Amino acid sequence: MQRHALEQDQAYFDFFPVPDNIAGYVWDFPTQINGEPMRCWGIYDTNLLAGQERPPLKKPLADEMARHGFNLDDHELKGHPIRWYDPFNPISVPRVLLVGDAVGADPIFGEGISMALGYGAIAAQEINTSIRRAEFSFSGYKRRLVWSGLGQTLLARWVITQIIYPLKWRWFQILLWRFLKPIVILVAWVFVLNWGKRIRT
Ligand SMILES: Cc1cc2nc3c(=O)[nH]c(=O)nc-3n(C[C@H](O)[C@H](O)[C@H](O)COP(=O)(O)OP(=O)(O)OC[C@H]3O[C@@H](n4cnc5c(N)ncnc54)[C@H](O)[C@@H]3O)c2cc1C
């Protein structure tokens, strides 16, 4: 769908559904279809608050789109499951190791493309070592991941997820995303972003 030209280069994350037990955000990103500037809307839910009473997932998305003058029913809707990282997820067994979403994407935002590439680099190191030793238990893979920049950001993001979504009150969400923005940016800079530069070989 097309939006006002002034906003075409802007991307929005809005965490307003959290107080209604949808532990995620509505997004509104710029995109292109056949060279045409368009917008991509969606809603992400970690399902962390799924045991509690909440509206259907479509409702906050439809409400937000309506606020911008769009009717959700006029547009194609697609749904995709996502598997997010949890430090307790098994990541390998002898002769099999997992990468990408099979281990888990970032739980805060559902970001997983850069992670998938990071997992690939670490898995390649583990496979390389296994070939040299002719031993394929992949027993060092978890340690390798945990000590990598990727493992550290995933753990940090998992911890942050366990804090920011269960503290679901509207006042807390406004405090966090609006008033504590400089602190959020600092924490993100130190613990969440730039992990690619910290990959150990
Ligand atoms: C709606 C949505 C929006 C997203 N937006 C972002 C974003 O903005 N930024 C971001 O970083 N991440 C985003 N993600 C997450 C990101 O897409 C994934 O984390 C990432 O693609 C994971 O990469 P992957 O290689 O592990 O898995 P995939 O990209 O899922 O690749 C797995 C591939 O394996 C194939 N496959 C499956 N089973 C078999 C089989 N039996 N045999 C052969 N092939 C098979 C599949 O067809 C697929 O091509 C989004 C996800 C969704 C659902």
Short mmCIF file of all heavy atoms in Angstrom, two decimals, residues 50-91:
data_model
loop_
_atom_site.label_atom_id
_atom_site.label_comp_id
_atom_site.label_asym_id
_atom_site.label_seq_id
_atom_site.Cartn_x
_atom_site.Cartn_y
_atom_site.Cartn_z
N ALA A 50 0.95 -15.38 25.86
CA ALA A 50 -0.16 -16.05 25.15
C ALA A 50 -1.15 -16.71 26.10
O ALA A 50 -2.29 -16.95 25.73
CB ALA A 50 0.40 -17.08 24.18
N GLY A 51 -0.72 -17.00 27.34
CA GLY A 51 -1.63 -17.66 28.27
C GLY A 51 -2.68 -16.71 28.83
O GLY A 51 -3.57 -17.13 29.57
N GLN A 52 -2.58 -15.42 28.54
CA GLN A 52 -3.49 -14.45 29.14
C GLN A 52 -4.51 -13.95 28.11
O GLN A 52 -4.32 -14.11 26.91
CB GLN A 52 -2.66 -13.29 29.69
CG GLN A 52 -1.57 -13.86 30.62
CD GLN A 52 -0.81 -12.79 31.35
OE1 GLN A 52 -1.39 -11.85 31.83
NE2 GLN A 52 0.50 -12.94 31.41
N GLU A 53 -5.56 -13.33 28.63
CA GLU A 53 -6.62 -12.87 27.74
C GLU A 53 -6.10 -11.78 26.80
O GLU A 53 -5.42 -10.85 27.27
CB GLU A 53 -7.77 -12.31 28.57
CG GLU A 53 -9.04 -12.16 27.78
CD GLU A 53 -10.17 -11.60 28.62
OE1 GLU A 53 -10.17 -11.84 29.85
OE2 GLU A 53 -11.02 -10.91 28.03
N ARG A 54 -6.41 -11.90 25.53
CA ARG A 54 -5.90 -10.91 24.58
C ARG A 54 -6.74 -10.92 23.32
O ARG A 54 -7.41 -11.91 23.02
CB ARG A 54 -4.43 -11.18 24.25
CG ARG A 54 -4.19 -12.52 23.62
CD ARG A 54 -2.83 -13.06 23.97
NE ARG A 54 -2.41 -14.02 22.96
CZ ARG A 54 -1.27 -13.95 22.29
NH1 ARG A 54 -0.43 -12.97 22.50
NH2 ARG A 54 -0.96 -14.86 21.42
N PRO A 55 -6.68 -9.82 22.54
CA PRO A 55 -7.46 -9.76 21.31
C PRO A 55 -6.82 -10.65 20.24
O PRO A 55 -5.66 -11.03 20.36
CB PRO A 55 -7.37 -8.29 20.90
CG PRO A 55 -6.13 -7.79 21.54
CD PRO A 55 -5.91 -8.61 22.78
N PRO A 56 -7.58 -10.97 19.16
CA PRO A 56 -6.96 -11.67 18.04
C PRO A 56 -5.79 -10.84 17.50
O PRO A 56 -5.83 -9.61 17.52
CB PRO A 56 -8.07 -11.77 16.99
CG PRO A 56 -9.32 -11.43 17.70
CD PRO A 56 -8.97 -10.63 18.91
N LEU A 57 -4.76 -11.52 17.01
CA LEU A 57 -3.53 -10.86 16.55
C LEU A 57 -3.81 -9.81 15.48
O LEU A 57 -3.11 -8.79 15.38
CB LEU A 57 -2.58 -11.94 16.01
CG LEU A 57 -1.10 -11.65 16.02
CD1 LEU A 57 -0.61 -11.16 17.37
CD2 LEU A 57 -0.33 -12.91 15.61
N LYS A 58 -4.84 -10.06 14.67
CA LYS A 58 -5.14 -9.13 13.58
C LYS A 58 -5.64 -7.77 14.08
O LYS A 58 -5.53 -6.78 13.37
CB LYS A 58 -6.23 -9.73 12.67
CG LYS A 58 -5.70 -10.62 11.58
CD LYS A 58 -6.80 -11.45 10.97
CE LYS A 58 -7.75 -10.66 10.11
NZ LYS A 58 -8.66 -11.54 9.34
N LYS A 59 -6.23 -7.77 15.28
CA LYS A 59 -6.94 -6.55 15.70
C LYS A 59 -6.01 -5.34 15.86
O LYS A 59 -6.29 -4.28 15.27
CB LYS A 59 -7.72 -6.81 16.98
CG LYS A 59 -8.59 -5.62 17.35
CD LYS A 59 -9.52 -5.90 18.48
CE LYS A 59 -10.37 -4.67 18.79
NZ LYS A 59 -9.59 -3.45 19.02
N PRO A 60 -4.90 -5.46 16.62
CA PRO A 60 -4.04 -4.27 16.74
C PRO A 60 -3.49 -3.81 15.39
O PRO A 60 -3.34 -2.60 15.16
CB PRO A 60 -2.89 -4.73 17.65
CG PRO A 60 -3.29 -6.02 18.22
CD PRO A 60 -4.38 -6.60 17.39
N LEU A 61 -3.20 -4.76 14.52
CA LEU A 61 -2.69 -4.40 13.19
C LEU A 61 -3.77 -3.63 12.41
O LEU A 61 -3.50 -2.57 11.83
CB LEU A 61 -2.27 -5.67 12.43
CG LEU A 61 -1.75 -5.46 11.02
CD1 LEU A 61 -0.49 -4.58 11.02
CD2 LEU A 61 -1.45 -6.80 10.35
N ALA A 62 -5.00 -4.19 12.45
CA ALA A 62 -6.11 -3.52 11.73
C ALA A 62 -6.35 -2.14 12.31
O ALA A 62 -6.56 -1.16 11.56
CB ALA A 62 -7.37 -4.38 11.82
N ASP A 63 -6.30 -2.02 13.65
CA ASP A 63 -6.55 -0.72 14.29
C ASP A 63 -5.49 0.30 13.88
O ASP A 63 -5.80 1.45 13.58
CB ASP A 63 -6.50 -0.87 15.83
CG ASP A 63 -7.69 -1.65 16.36
OD1 ASP A 63 -8.62 -1.90 15.58
OD2 ASP A 63 -7.66 -2.01 17.55
N GLU A 64 -4.21 -0.14 13.87
CA GLU A 64 -3.13 0.78 13.52
C GLU A 64 -3.23 1.20 12.05
O GLU A 64 -3.00 2.37 11.71
CB GLU A 64 -1.78 0.12 13.82
CG GLU A 64 -0.56 0.97 13.57
CD GLU A 64 -0.49 2.23 14.45
OE1 GLU A 64 -1.32 2.39 15.36
OE2 GLU A 64 0.41 3.06 14.17
N MET A 65 -3.56 0.23 11.20
CA MET A 65 -3.71 0.57 9.77
C MET A 65 -4.88 1.54 9.58
O MET A 65 -4.79 2.48 8.79
CB MET A 65 -3.89 -0.70 8.95
CG MET A 65 -2.62 -1.52 8.86
SD MET A 65 -2.83 -3.08 8.00
CE MET A 65 -3.13 -2.52 6.33
N ALA A 66 -5.95 1.29 10.34
CA ALA A 66 -7.12 2.18 10.22
C ALA A 66 -6.75 3.60 10.64
O ALA A 66 -7.19 4.58 10.03
CB ALA A 66 -8.27 1.64 11.08
N ARG A 67 -5.89 3.69 11.66
CA ARG A 67 -5.43 5.01 12.13
C ARG A 67 -4.73 5.78 11.01
O ARG A 67 -4.68 6.99 11.00
CB ARG A 67 -4.47 4.80 13.31
CG ARG A 67 -4.58 5.83 14.41
CD ARG A 67 -3.86 5.35 15.65
NE ARG A 67 -2.42 5.15 15.45
CZ ARG A 67 -1.52 6.12 15.46
NH1 ARG A 67 -1.89 7.37 15.62
NH2 ARG A 67 -0.23 5.85 15.31
N HIS A 68 -4.13 5.01 10.07
CA HIS A 68 -3.41 5.64 8.94
C HIS A 68 -4.26 5.65 7.67
O HIS A 68 -3.75 5.89 6.58
CB HIS A 68 -2.09 4.91 8.70
CG HIS A 68 -1.11 5.13 9.80
ND1 HIS A 68 -0.25 6.20 9.84
CD2 HIS A 68 -0.88 4.43 10.93
CE1 HIS A 68 0.49 6.15 10.94
NE2 HIS A 68 0.12 5.08 11.62
N GLY A 69 -5.54 5.30 7.82
CA GLY A 69 -6.46 5.39 6.68
C GLY A 69 -6.51 4.16 5.79
O GLY A 69 -6.96 4.25 4.64
N PHE A 70 -6.05 3.01 6.28
CA PHE A 70 -6.07 1.78 5.48
C PHE A 70 -6.97 0.73 6.12
O PHE A 70 -7.09 0.67 7.35
CB PHE A 70 -4.66 1.19 5.35
CG PHE A 70 -3.67 2.12 4.71
CD1 PHE A 70 -2.64 2.68 5.44
CD2 PHE A 70 -3.77 2.44 3.36
CE1 PHE A 70 -1.73 3.55 4.87
CE2 PHE A 70 -2.87 3.30 2.77
CZ PHE A 70 -1.84 3.86 3.52
N ASN A 71 -7.55 -0.11 5.25
CA ASN A 71 -8.41 -1.19 5.74
C ASN A 71 -7.67 -2.51 5.54
O ASN A 71 -7.36 -2.90 4.41
CB ASN A 71 -9.72 -1.17 4.94
CG ASN A 71 -10.68 -2.24 5.42
OD1 ASN A 71 -10.34 -3.05 6.31
ND2 ASN A 71 -11.87 -2.26 4.85
N LEU A 72 -7.37 -3.19 6.62
CA LEU A 72 -6.62 -4.45 6.54
C LEU A 72 -7.27 -5.44 5.59
O LEU A 72 -6.59 -6.15 4.84
CB LEU A 72 -6.49 -5.07 7.94
CG LEU A 72 -5.83 -6.44 8.03
CD1 LEU A 72 -4.39 -6.40 7.55
CD2 LEU A 72 -5.88 -6.98 9.46
N ASP A 73 -8.61 -5.46 5.58
CA ASP A 73 -9.32 -6.43 4.75
C ASP A 73 -9.11 -6.20 3.25
O ASP A 73 -9.36 -7.08 2.44
CB ASP A 73 -10.83 -6.39 5.06
CG ASP A 73 -11.10 -6.88 6.47
OD1 ASP A 73 -10.26 -7.66 6.98
OD2 ASP A 73 -12.11 -6.46 7.06
N ASP A 74 -8.61 -5.02 2.89
CA ASP A 74 -8.37 -4.74 1.46
C ASP A 74 -7.02 -5.28 1.00
O ASP A 74 -6.66 -5.12 -0.17
CB ASP A 74 -8.35 -3.21 1.21
CG ASP A 74 -9.70 -2.58 1.45
OD1 ASP A 74 -10.69 -3.33 1.45
OD2 ASP A 74 -9.74 -1.35 1.63
N HIS A 75 -6.25 -5.87 1.91
CA HIS A 75 -4.87 -6.24 1.57
C HIS A 75 -4.60 -7.70 1.87
O HIS A 75 -5.23 -8.29 2.74
CB HIS A 75 -3.89 -5.34 2.34
CG HIS A 75 -4.10 -3.89 2.04
ND1 HIS A 75 -3.64 -3.30 0.90
CD2 HIS A 75 -4.78 -2.94 2.73
CE1 HIS A 75 -4.00 -2.03 0.89
NE2 HIS A 75 -4.69 -1.78 1.99
N GLU A 76 -3.61 -8.22 1.15
CA GLU A 76 -3.24 -9.63 1.33
C GLU A 76 -2.56 -9.81 2.70
O GLU A 76 -1.70 -9.03 3.07
CB GLU A 76 -2.27 -10.04 0.22
CG GLU A 76 -1.95 -11.50 0.22
CD GLU A 76 -0.82 -11.84 -0.76
OE1 GLU A 76 -0.20 -10.91 -1.33
OE2 GLU A 76 -0.57 -13.04 -0.94
N LEU A 77 -2.95 -10.84 3.41
CA LEU A 77 -2.39 -11.10 4.73
C LEU A 77 -1.68 -12.44 4.72
O LEU A 77 -2.22 -13.43 4.22
CB LEU A 77 -3.55 -11.14 5.74
CG LEU A 77 -3.23 -11.11 7.21
CD1 LEU A 77 -2.51 -9.84 7.61
CD2 LEU A 77 -4.53 -11.25 8.02
N LYS A 78 -0.47 -12.49 5.25
CA LYS A 78 0.28 -13.75 5.32
C LYS A 78 0.74 -13.97 6.75
O LYS A 78 1.07 -13.01 7.45
CB LYS A 78 1.53 -13.69 4.43
CG LYS A 78 1.22 -13.63 2.95
CD LYS A 78 2.52 -13.60 2.16
CE LYS A 78 2.24 -13.48 0.68
NZ LYS A 78 3.48 -13.22 -0.08
N GLY A 79 0.79 -15.22 7.17
CA GLY A 79 1.27 -15.54 8.52
C GLY A 79 2.45 -16.48 8.47
O GLY A 79 2.51 -17.36 7.60
N HIS A 80 3.42 -16.28 9.35
CA HIS A 80 4.63 -17.13 9.38
C HIS A 80 4.99 -17.42 10.82
O HIS A 80 5.08 -16.48 11.62
CB HIS A 80 5.81 -16.42 8.73
CG HIS A 80 5.54 -15.90 7.36
ND1 HIS A 80 5.71 -16.67 6.24
CD2 HIS A 80 5.09 -14.70 6.94
CE1 HIS A 80 5.40 -15.95 5.18
NE2 HIS A 80 5.02 -14.75 5.57
N PRO A 81 5.27 -18.67 11.15
CA PRO A 81 5.79 -18.94 12.51
C PRO A 81 7.25 -18.53 12.57
O PRO A 81 7.92 -18.46 11.54
CB PRO A 81 5.65 -20.46 12.64
CG PRO A 81 5.70 -20.97 11.25
CD PRO A 81 5.16 -19.88 10.35
N ILE A 82 7.72 -18.23 13.75
CA ILE A 82 9.15 -17.92 13.91
C ILE A 82 9.63 -18.64 15.17
O ILE A 82 8.88 -18.77 16.14
CB ILE A 82 9.36 -16.39 13.99
CG1 ILE A 82 10.82 -16.04 13.75
CG2 ILE A 82 8.88 -15.80 15.29
CD1 ILE A 82 11.02 -14.59 13.36
N ARG A 83 10.84 -19.13 15.14
CA ARG A 83 11.39 -19.82 16.31
C ARG A 83 12.47 -18.92 16.88
O ARG A 83 13.44 -18.60 16.21
CB ARG A 83 11.99 -21.16 15.85
CG ARG A 83 12.70 -21.94 16.93
CD ARG A 83 13.17 -23.26 16.34
NE ARG A 83 14.15 -23.91 17.17
CZ ARG A 83 13.88 -24.65 18.23
NH1 ARG A 83 12.64 -24.83 18.60
NH2 ARG A 83 14.85 -25.24 18.91
N TRP A 84 12.30 -18.51 18.15
CA TRP A 84 13.31 -17.62 18.70
C TRP A 84 14.27 -18.33 19.62
O TRP A 84 13.99 -19.37 20.18
CB TRP A 84 12.74 -16.36 19.30
CG TRP A 84 11.57 -16.38 20.22
CD1 TRP A 84 10.27 -16.10 19.86
CD2 TRP A 84 11.55 -16.58 21.64
NE1 TRP A 84 9.47 -16.13 20.97
CE2 TRP A 84 10.23 -16.42 22.09
CE3 TRP A 84 12.53 -16.86 22.59
CZ2 TRP A 84 9.85 -16.55 23.41
CZ3 TRP A 84 12.15 -16.99 23.92
CH2 TRP A 84 10.83 -16.83 24.31
N TYR A 85 15.44 -17.71 19.75
CA TYR A 85 16.55 -18.29 20.52
C TYR A 85 16.21 -18.39 22.00
O TYR A 85 15.69 -17.45 22.59
CB TYR A 85 17.80 -17.43 20.35
CG TYR A 85 18.95 -17.93 21.19
CD1 TYR A 85 19.75 -18.98 20.75
CD2 TYR A 85 19.24 -17.34 22.41
CE1 TYR A 85 20.81 -19.44 21.53
CE2 TYR A 85 20.29 -17.79 23.19
CZ TYR A 85 21.07 -18.84 22.74
OH TYR A 85 22.10 -19.29 23.51
N ASP A 86 16.54 -19.53 22.56
CA ASP A 86 16.43 -19.75 24.00
C ASP A 86 17.71 -20.51 24.36
O ASP A 86 18.08 -21.47 23.68
CB ASP A 86 15.19 -20.61 24.27
CG ASP A 86 14.96 -20.86 25.74
OD1 ASP A 86 15.91 -21.30 26.43
OD2 ASP A 86 13.83 -20.64 26.21
N PRO A 87 18.44 -20.07 25.40
CA PRO A 87 19.72 -20.73 25.69
C PRO A 87 19.56 -22.22 26.01
O PRO A 87 20.54 -22.95 25.98
CB PRO A 87 20.26 -19.96 26.90
CG PRO A 87 19.14 -19.14 27.41
CD PRO A 87 18.17 -18.94 26.30
N PHE A 88 18.33 -22.64 26.30
CA PHE A 88 18.11 -24.06 26.61
C PHE A 88 17.76 -24.89 25.37
O PHE A 88 17.58 -26.10 25.46
CB PHE A 88 17.04 -24.20 27.70
CG PHE A 88 17.41 -23.46 28.96
CD1 PHE A 88 16.79 -22.25 29.30
CD2 PHE A 88 18.42 -23.93 29.79
CE1 PHE A 88 17.16 -21.55 30.44
CE2 PHE A 88 18.80 -23.24 30.93
CZ PHE A 88 18.17 -22.04 31.26
N ASN A 89 17.63 -24.23 24.21
CA ASN A 89 17.36 -24.99 22.97
C ASN A 89 18.54 -25.92 22.67
O ASN A 89 19.69 -25.48 22.68
CB ASN A 89 17.23 -24.05 21.75
CG ASN A 89 15.94 -23.26 21.74
OD1 ASN A 89 15.05 -23.51 22.52
ND2 ASN A 89 15.88 -22.28 20.84
N PRO A 90 18.29 -27.20 22.38
CA PRO A 90 19.39 -28.04 21.90
C PRO A 90 19.86 -27.54 20.54
O PRO A 90 19.03 -27.12 19.72
CB PRO A 90 18.77 -29.44 21.79
CG PRO A 90 17.30 -29.24 21.81
CD PRO A 90 17.00 -27.90 22.40
N ILE A 91 21.17 -27.54 20.30
CA ILE A 91 21.64 -27.00 19.02
C ILE A 91 22.41 -28.03 18.19
O ILE A 91 22.72 -27.78 17.04
CB ILE A 91 22.47 -25.71 19.22
CG1 ILE A 91 23.78 -25.99 19.96
CG2 ILE A 91 21.68 -24.67 19.93
CD1 ILE A 91 24.72 -24.78 19.90
#
